[in-house]
Amino acid sequence: MTAAGFRIGGDLEVRRLGFGAMRLPTEPASARATAVTVARRAVELGVTLIDTAHLYGGGANEELLAEALHPYPADLLITTKVGVARSGPSDEWRLDGRPDVLRDQVDRALRRLRVERLELLQLHRIDPGTPLADQVGTLRELRDEGKIGRIGLSEVTVAELDQAREIVEIAGVQNRYSLLDREHEPVLAACEAAGIAFLPWRPVAWGEAGANAEINAVAADLDATPTQIALAWLLARSPVICPIPGTARLSHLEQNIAAADIKLTPPHRARLDRLAETP
């Protein structure tokens, strides 16, 4: 690993500052065209890690990325997530980790993304109604069949991560984490100890970063935006952190990517680190 890059699973190198595609609209046509432009611009700016999921439009977000970026650059990783499905009389989205559902969603993702293998496939959430061993075991089988390259988890505890690792190698964890939200600090520590990529979703606490006086002060010192400071802090926080900020606006995308060039001084780091101690 380097300051700019990380090898997911020990061999799949990506630039640490990635892009979350969840906010890219797939309709109407005018918004979709803008979303395609944003996705392409992210790759032009050097992004090599893009995150999507079956949940994002029931696969529509995956299709959008394929439309925008296929055939993919050799160094681009598009990771997707499975394990949430529409079910019940109201056809609502629910956690669903049954083996047949996971297999079906993986097959659909392969077709939508137009690939033969998903290099990193994440379990969107652990379904409490299905044994963890069945969920992770199914992903292991899909890996052994060549449909998945590496397996990741999302929104897990340290205990769940440990349990999953007894079944199969885990290459990545995607938990909520940011400068102002460090609930999953123990999971980050476990990932760092094991060399597992940690992909914080909601890496910026939306408007909260801009409303925080300490973050604003550091941003003013470094001629940056509060969002850029929040992302720069994540990159400095741990070498396994690979943030995936999302946006549907080109200007925000370019600002986010520029955060990789911001160097926090030790006093600035200390000032931001102390925000975790604020009640």
Side-chain angles (χ1 to χ4, degrees), residues 2 22 29 36 54 71-72 86 91 150 154 167 185 188 200-201 216 222 224-225 241 249-250 265 269 272:
T2 67
M22 180 181 69
V36 166
H54 176 84
Y72 305 114
R86 290 189 182 277
D91 198 34
R150 297 153 197 82
S154 181
I167 301 167
E185 194 79 44
L188 170 59
W201 65 270
N216 279 330
L222 297 176
T225 68
I241 288 183
R249 297 177 61 179
L250 278 172
T265 66
R269 273 289 310 275
L272 296 171

Side-chain angles (χ1 to χ4, degrees), residues 211-236:
N212 185 282
E214 292 295 311
I215 299 175
N216 279 330
V218 173
D221 283 351
L222 297 176
D223 192 24
T225 68
T227 292
Q228 288 176 321
I229 294 303
L231 291 171
W233 178 85
L234 283 170
L235 292 170

Side-chain angles (χ1 to χ4, degrees), residues 92-244:
E92 295 179 353
W93 288 104
R94 301 175 186 271
L95 301 183
D96 196 335
R98 291 174 295 171
D100 59 330
V101 171
L102 298 181
R103 283 184 166 276
D104 178 66
Q105 291 188 358
V106 165
D107 286 340
R108 290 175 183 270
L110 289 167
R111 291 195 295 271
R112 289 177 178 132
L113 289 170
R114 307 179 201 172
V115 294
E116 295 182 357
R117 186 168 87 155
L118 301 166
E119 294 299 338
L120 176 62
L121 187 284
Q122 303 167 88
L123 183 63
H124 207 143
R125 294 290 188 275
I126 292 176
D127 174 10
T130 303
L132 175 61
D134 290 352
Q135 299 175 69
V136 177
T138 298
L139 299 186
R140 181 186 60 194
E141 292 171 0
L142 288 164
R143 183 203 62 183
D144 293 345
E145 293 167 14
K147 294 183 177 182
I148 295 173
R150 297 153 197 82
I151 296 167
L153 304 172
S154 181
E155 282 302 280
V156 292
T157 64
V158 172
E160 289 167 337
L161 174 58
D162 288 344
Q163 186 180 350
R165 292 182 67 206
E166 292 177 357
I167 301 167
V168 71
E169 298 88 351
I170 299 299
V173 168
Q174 186 174 148
N175 275 24
R176 191 188 72 253
Y177 185 83
S178 70
L179 175 54
L180 297 177
D181 180 2
R182 306 186 206 176
E183 176 185 346
H184 292 295
E185 194 79 44
V187 181
L188 170 59
C191 288
E192 190 173 88
I196 295 171
F198 186 87
L199 285 63
W201 65 270
R202 197 185 296 171
V204 179
W206 289 307
E208 296 177 30
N212 185 282
E214 292 295 311
I215 299 175
N216 279 330
V218 173
D221 283 351
L222 297 176
D223 192 24
T225 68
T227 292
Q228 288 176 321
I229 294 303
L231 291 171
W233 178 85
L234 283 170
L235 292 170
R237 171 66 187 83
S238 169
V240 305
I241 288 183
C242 301
I244 46 172

